Amino acid sequence: MRPPGTGRLIVSLLIGRIPIGIFSLAIVLLVRAETGSFAQAGAASAAWAVGAGFLAPIQGRLVDRFGQPAVLIPSTLVNALAVIGVVACARAGSPTWVLAVFAFIGGAALPPLGACMRSVWATVFENDTNARNTAYTFEGVVSEFFFIIGPVITTVLIAVSSTSVALIVAIALSLIGTILFATGSLARSWRSEPFERTRAGALASPGMRTLMLSIVPTGISFGALEVAMPAFAVEHGEKAELAGILLSIMAVGSVLGGIWYGARSWSSPVVERFIVLHVALAVGTLPLLIADSIPLMGAMAAIAGLALAPSAAAAYLLIDHVAPPGTATEATTWMMTANIAGAASGAALAGVIVEASNARWAIALACAGPVVGAVLTILLRHTLHPIVPATPEPVASAPAPRDA
C-alpha cells in the first residue's frame, strides 16, 4: 500500500529535479557564448560540479542529523541567488572567473533532493527489497527523464530567447519543487537511524570507499561528454546547442534500460548485479568512438545510455548493504560527490583536449571512464560485503530532527 504523501513527493521531485538537466548545459553554453572558448566553458561547468561535490556530503550529514526540511529549504534559496548571480554577471560582461565563483556557490547549494528521496524510499520499503529496488530504479529513470527534458528545454529556451532565460526557468522550477518536497508529510516525518556516528561517517565502510572509486571514472565520462558533444556538433557543421539533443537521446536509452530493469524481479546478489551492469555500461559506451556523423552519434548515444539507469539503481541498492547505519543520506551524497568530482575533472580535461586537438579525443576520454570504473569494481569486489552491525543502544545525546 502506498503511504500517504507519496504522490506529492513524486510530483515535487519531478518539478525540483528538472533543473539538473538545465543548469550544467546552460552554464557551458552561456560561458562559451560570452567568451568563445570551450576551455573556459568547461572550467565554469567544472566550478559548478566542484561546488556540488564539495558540499553534498556535508548537506547529507546535516540531513541525517537535523531532518530534510531544515537543509533543503535554505539550500534552494542560496542556490537560486547564486544562479541569479551567474546570469547578472554574464549580462554585465564579467570575467569568467567571476561567473565561476557564482557557479561554484550555486553548485554547492544544490538541494540534495535525490538523496533525500532515496532515504525516504529506504524507510518506506525497509522490509521489501524488491519494492525498494523498483523504487530506486524509478528514481533513476526519473533522473534520466530530467536529462532528456532538461537539455530539450534548454535548447528551446535558447532558440526562442536566451541562455539567461533558461537559467531563470531552472531557478523557478528548483524553488517550487524543493519547497513542495520539503514541506510534504513524508519529508517532515523522516528520521535517520539514531546510531552513533564516527567522524568518517559513511566512508568508515570499505564498501563505500570502493563504490566511490568506481563511480569517479564514470563521472569523468559524463563530464567529458558535456563538453565533447557541443564540440562534436560544431565540428560537423551544426550549432553547439545541438548537443542538448544528443545528450537527451542518451538519456532516452537510459530510460528504456531502466524500464526493462525495474520491471523484473531479481534473485541474483546485488554485488554481482552491480558488477555486471557496470561492465555493460563500459562496453555500451565504446561505440561512441565510431560515430562520424550527427545521426550516427545519436544512435551510439542511445546505446551508451542503456545500462546507465540500471547500474545506478544497483549502486544505490548496494549502498543499503555497505553503508553504516544512520548514514543513509550522507552515503547517497558521497556517491553523488564521486560522480560530480569525476564530472568536474572530465569537463575541465575535455575542454583542454578539444582546444588542443578535437572532439574525438574528448570522446575517447569519456569512453575510458566507465572501463576504468568497471575494472576497479572487479578488483575490489571483496570489499562490497554487507555490513552486519551489532545492535548498539540508540545514542540518547544525538539530537532528533524537528518537524518543520
Side-chain angles (χ1 to χ4, degrees), residues 94-124:
S94 300
T96 301
W97 71 265
V98 177
L99 295 173
V101 168
F102 278 101
F104 174 87
I105 296 171
L110 194 66
L113 279 181
C116 290
M117 186 65 161
R118 292 184 188 101
S119 296
V120 171
W121 289 144
T123 300
V124 171

Side-chain angles (χ1 to χ4, degrees), residues 116-171:
C116 290
M117 186 65 161
R118 292 184 188 101
S119 296
V120 171
W121 289 144
T123 300
V124 171
F125 300 117
E126 182 177 6
N127 299 315
D128 190 339
T129 302
N130 282 331
R132 195 160 12 114
N133 183 62
T134 300
Y136 289 161
T137 306
F138 165 78
E139 206 281 329
V141 168
V142 168
S143 294
E144 292 310 311
F145 172 75
F146 303 144
F147 285 103
I148 295 171
I149 195 171
V152 172
I153 292 173
T154 304
T155 303
V156 170
L157 289 175
I158 291 173
V160 301
S161 185
S162 67
T163 311
S164 297
V165 170
L167 287 170
I168 294 297
V169 170
I171 291 169

Side-chain angles (χ1 to χ4, degrees), residues 3-373:
T6 302
R8 171 179 175 147
L9 211 65
I10 292 173
V11 170
S12 61
L13 184 77
L14 287 171
I15 296 172
R17 295 197 69 198
I18 287 176
I20 292 176
I22 299 176
F23 280 135
S24 182
L25 179 60
I27 287 173
V28 167
L29 297 175
L30 177 71
V31 178
R32 195 258 175 178
E34 294 296 327
T35 66
S37 169
F38 278 112
Q40 288 177 293
S45 178
W48 175 276
V50 168
F54 176 77
L55 200 60
I58 298 174
Q59 289 197 70
R61 188 171 291 199
L62 291 173
V63 168
D64 285 329
R65 190 172 180 85
F66 298 109
Q68 296 186 356
V71 176
L72 289 175
I73 293 175
S75 291
T76 193
L77 294 175
V78 173
N79 170 262
L81 291 174
V83 178
I84 289 172
V86 171
V87 175
C89 289
R91 288 179 172 176
S94 300
T96 301
W97 71 265
V98 177
L99 295 173
V101 168
F102 278 101
F104 174 87
I105 296 171
L110 194 66
L113 279 181
C116 290
M117 186 65 161
R118 292 184 188 101
S119 296
V120 171
W121 289 144
T123 300
V124 171
F125 300 117
E126 182 177 6
N127 299 315
D128 190 339
T129 302
N130 282 331
R132 195 160 12 114
N133 183 62
T134 300
Y136 289 161
T137 306
F138 165 78
E139 206 281 329
V141 168
V142 168
S143 294
E144 292 310 311
F145 172 75
F146 303 144
F147 285 103
I148 295 171
I149 195 171
V152 172
I153 292 173
T154 304
T155 303
V156 170
L157 289 175
I158 291 173
V160 301
S161 185
S162 67
T163 311
S164 297
V165 170
L167 287 170
I168 294 297
V169 170
I171 291 169
L173 291 172
S174 181
L175 282 169
I176 293 169
T178 302
I179 292 173
L180 281 174
F181 185 100
T183 55
S185 59
L186 287 176
R188 288 187 292 109
S189 63
W190 178 84
R191 297 291 185 276
S192 178
E193 297 178 69
F195 286 89
E196 186 174 6
R197 301 171 180 86
T198 66
R199 287 188 177 182
L203 295 185
S205 161
M208 280 300 305
R209 296 195 293 272
T210 293
L211 282 175
M212 290 275 291
L213 285 174
S214 69
I215 294 301
V216 167
T218 303
I220 288 175
S221 175
F222 297 112
L225 287 176
E226 288 277 357
V227 177
M229 288 300 193
F232 182 88
V234 170
E235 288 179 7
H236 287 79
E238 302 289 345
K239 293 183 178 180
E241 288 80 5
L242 185 67
I245 304 301
L246 295 174
L247 294 172
S248 293
I249 291 172
M250 188 172 183
V252 169
S254 181
V255 168
L256 294 175
I259 292 172
W260 170 82
Y261 176 78
R264 298 170 61 91
S265 294
W266 297 92
S267 58
S268 58
V270 66
V271 174
E272 293 182 7
R273 206 183 319 150
F274 173 69
I275 291 174
V276 169
L277 289 168
H278 208 144
V279 170
L281 179 64
V283 172
T285 306
L286 295 176
L288 293 173
L289 285 170
I290 69 172
D292 57 2
S293 67
I294 297 295
L296 186 56
M297 177 59 81
M300 296 303 100
I303 293 172
L306 287 173
L308 183 56
S311 63
Y316 286 113
L317 187 61
L318 191 55
I319 286 177
D320 293 342
H321 291 257
V322 301
T327 65
T329 311
E330 182 192 345
T332 301
T333 53
W334 272 117
M335 291 293 292
M336 294 177 178
T337 294
N339 213 329
I340 290 169
S345 302
L349 286 171
V352 173
I353 289 170
V354 168
E355 290 289 317
S357 182
N358 55 46
R360 185 167 298 278
W361 285 104
I363 292 169
L365 172 66
C367 293
V371 174
V372 173

